[in-house]
């Protein structure tokens, strides 16, 4: 396994961005809804590199919303490759979406899987869960990353097991995720 170039990882939501302005963040991956304004919080950050992607946190088509597509996952993986190519002593990566639960944790999952191609998928997902205890990675994004990284469904299966764990710990997520159009993820988690 090659050494990871990233010293610190942070996953958060919009409301938490201000709490990280003094933590030496060097790179930011922002995943925002289309049309959402740029977060003002970044004005108080030190100089950093930031990439912004825009799509909704959905797994199936919903009228008026934009699905995450393979091109979005490819952009995240390119972001990760570019990051690993940098020669810096300390990289602090912050990934955020609106709530810091689904799109951002999916992005962190795929970046860790990319940085550690020999690491078991369950370990990758456990690391993301350790970083963000309420993680519920977007299954559509993970499926695209699974294919792009040649993980042969193992990354998706590890995320499905995390979803099942989250449903056991937070049973209210069943109804909430169904209301959000994410019932397919719930059904897959419960079927396993």
């Amino acid at each position: 396994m090659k050494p990871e170039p990233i010293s610190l990882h942070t996953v958060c939501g919009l409301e938490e961005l201000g709490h990280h302005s003094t933590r030496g963040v060097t790179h930011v991956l922002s995943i925002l809804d289309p049309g959402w304004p740029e977060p003002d919080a970044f004005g108080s950050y030190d100089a950093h590199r930031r990439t912004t992607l825009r799509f909704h946190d959905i797994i199936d088509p919903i009228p008026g919303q934009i699905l995450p597509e393979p091109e979005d996952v490819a952009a995240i993986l390119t972001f990760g490759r570019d990051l690993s190519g940098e020669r810096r002593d300390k990289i602090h990566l912050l990934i955020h979406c609106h709530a810091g639960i689904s799109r951002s944790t999916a992005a962190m999952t795929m970046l860790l899987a990319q940085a550690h191609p020999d690491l078991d998928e369950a370990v990758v997902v456990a690391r993301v869960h350790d970083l963000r205890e309420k993680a519920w990675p977007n299954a559509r994004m993970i499926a695209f990353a699974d294919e792009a990284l040649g993980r042969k469904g193992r990354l998706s299966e590890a995320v499905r097991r995390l979803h099942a764990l989250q449903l056991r710990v937070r049973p209210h997520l069943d109804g909430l995720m169904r209301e959000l159009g994410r019932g397919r993820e719930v059904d897959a988690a419960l079927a396993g």
Side-chain angles (χ1 to χ4, degrees):
M1 177 182 358
K2 66 180 180 179
E4 190 171 352
I6 304 167
S7 303
L8 293 170
H9 305 88
T10 299
V11 177
C12 71
L14 287 171
E15 297 294 320
E16 302 160 271
L17 285 174
H19 303 298
H20 300 290
S21 63
T22 60
R23 295 191 58 222
V25 171
T26 60
H27 295 75
V28 175
L29 177 60
S30 293
I31 305 175
L32 298 169
D33 288 350
W36 192 269
E38 293 297 316
D40 292 334
F42 290 118
S44 63
Y45 277 55
D46 291 335
H48 62 278
R49 291 190 184 172
R50 182 165 168 246
T51 297
T52 302
L53 300 174
R54 293 182 178 275
F55 51 85
H56 291 99
D57 188 20
I58 56 178
I59 61 169
D60 293 310
I62 295 177
Q65 295 198 14
I66 297 173
L67 279 162
E69 296 292 352
E71 298 79 25
D72 299 307
V73 168
I76 292 167
L77 295 174
T78 296
F79 174 88
R81 275 192 298 279
D82 292 348
L83 193 62
S84 68
E86 288 199 20
R87 300 284 180 238
R88 296 181 77 160
D89 290 337
K90 185 175 179 183
I91 291 178
H92 182 168
L93 170 62
L94 182 144
I95 302 176
H96 81 89
C97 57
H98 285 253
I101 296 172
S102 186
R103 289 171 287 184
S104 56
T105 61
M108 185 63 79
T109 300
M110 63 184 77
L111 291 178
L112 288 175
Q114 178 183 45
H116 301 286
D118 298 327
L119 196 59
D120 182 80
E121 293 77 11
V123 175
V124 169
V125 171
R127 285 186 66 187
V128 172
H129 188 218
D130 288 345
L131 285 170
R132 191 70 169 172
E133 197 268 333
K134 55 186 175 179
W136 183 285
N138 180 297
R140 180 179 173 91
M141 294 172 64
I142 293 298
F144 293 140
D146 208 334
E147 184 175 332
L149 296 171
R151 294 285 183 143
K152 301 180 179 176
R154 295 184 306 268
L155 199 57
S156 293
E157 176 57 22
V159 165
R160 186 204 60 75
R161 288 192 306 269
L162 174 59
H163 290 167
L165 171 66
Q166 295 293 31
L167 289 170
R168 286 192 302 276
V169 174
R170 298 177 173 84
H172 72 281
L173 288 177
D174 184 316
L176 176 64
M177 295 312 262
R178 290 181 192 284
E179 285 175 28
L180 295 172
R182 308 279 289 273
R184 195 163 46 87
E185 288 172 327
V186 174
D187 291 341
L190 294 174

